[in-house]
Amino acid sequence: MVKVNYDLLPVKTHYFFFMAAMGPILPFLPVIGKQLGVSEVVMGLIMSVIPILFLFAKPIFGFILDYFQSHRKTVFLTLVVSTTVFSALLWLVPEYKLVPVQQQVACGSILNCTDQVALLDDIDCWVTLSGEKTTALRLAADNTSYCAESTVVCQLGSMVHVSCQKRGLGFYSSTTFWMFVILLSAASIGYNVSNSVSDAICFDVLGAGNEKKYGQQRVWGTVGFGLSALVGGYCIDWWSGPRQVKDYTPAYFIAVVFTSIDLLCCTKLKLPVLPRSQNILKDVLKLVQNPSIATFLLFAAFIGICESFIIFFLFWYLEDLAVTTGALGHIKLLQGLTVAAETLVGEIVFFPLSGRILRWV
């Protein structure tokens, strides 16, 4: 018979629902920006600046939680809610619109793009049916012909409506861009700080001597993250229908629902009273001077640098592959499956084993 530790149950449920709330949004943030018109270079710049903000945000909130110990739960719940609010507000980011050039083009003249055709990179074109963007097109360097990134569904010999607009620096001074950057930064900071605080609370609840049981608690977050990313990806594709411009409404809805459940779970958290540091800065500096901790910090920084390429640009790469294979209609499901494979196949195995691995080493 399975024994349930009711003291640790709120920690497990918090991890599950908090990570489940972020699963349909967090991995998709770079490609949400891509859909709005952010280039890969600019997205890389944004993602390189945000971790620097983490360096300031985490110690600040850590100090607040240490100093106002009687209000730790209130501060923590505020962080969780803020993370979801900033994430959900991405739904309100307006599409950047320019007055497009429109024309009628013969269906048979639109061929599939190949490497042999020189294309213009600063102009976006698309086929419009019933007022909705359908197939993305590229304008050839001759300024007269188009090629399709996926098959154009139309009757041979008929005319299709094509619209084009030029991208430029105007986008990067627009409300769309800066609203996205601010909300992306706020949501990312909120998530990372909340995650760190969640881990600290987990260790507080586990108590001295039980630190190696952390993985058994944290694995529930992995389960929630993987499942919700998978379900969220499917729902985004289903909700968006045949449109190539994806509608992330289901993801934001899932985030709000799971965060609401998480708040109920967090109210059951019983945080132990901890001795207050008399000089937090001095104690932190003392820890950093410990060779083992300093080595761990360097290792964590190195792993973070390596992992950033995968975290920030894997979905971007998958979407580029989907363009060449005609799989854009199910791209969010494929991206959700990617997250599920990472979490439900890899992490779910090693988190429970982490305590034993640490004992071995």
Side-chain angles (χ1 to χ4, degrees), residues 274-339:
L274 300 175
R276 178 177 294 180
S277 172
Q278 299 300 316
N279 191 323
I280 295 176
L281 182 59
K282 182 179 179 180
D283 290 342
V284 170
L285 291 176
K286 185 178 179 180
L287 285 173
V288 174
Q289 291 172 0
N290 184 308
S292 298
I293 293 178
T295 302
F296 171 77
L297 291 175
L298 290 173
F299 177 77
F302 175 74
I303 293 298
I305 292 171
C306 297
E307 190 182 24
S308 63
F309 295 104
I310 299 175
I311 291 177
F312 298 142
F313 288 108
L314 177 60
F315 279 15
W316 201 295
Y317 177 62
L318 287 175
E319 293 202 353
D320 288 344
L321 287 179
V323 168
T324 62
T325 58
L328 279 175
H330 304 288
I331 184 59
K332 299 305 158 185
L333 174 59
L334 293 173
Q335 290 168 339
L337 281 168
T338 302
V339 176

Side-chain angles (χ1 to χ4, degrees), residues 190-242:
Y191 169 76
N192 279 272
V193 174
S194 298
N195 218 13
S196 297
V197 174
S198 297
D199 291 343
I201 289 175
C202 178
F203 282 111
D204 289 347
V205 174
L206 286 172
N210 293 314
E211 294 88 350
K212 291 183 174 60
K213 293 182 179 180
Y214 162 77
Q216 299 171 20
Q217 322 310 316
R218 178 60 178 79
V219 70
W220 291 99
T222 284
V223 174
F225 195 83
L227 289 176
S228 68
L230 177 59
V231 173
Y234 171 80
C235 291
I236 293 168
D237 280 336
W238 168 75
W239 186 264
S240 302

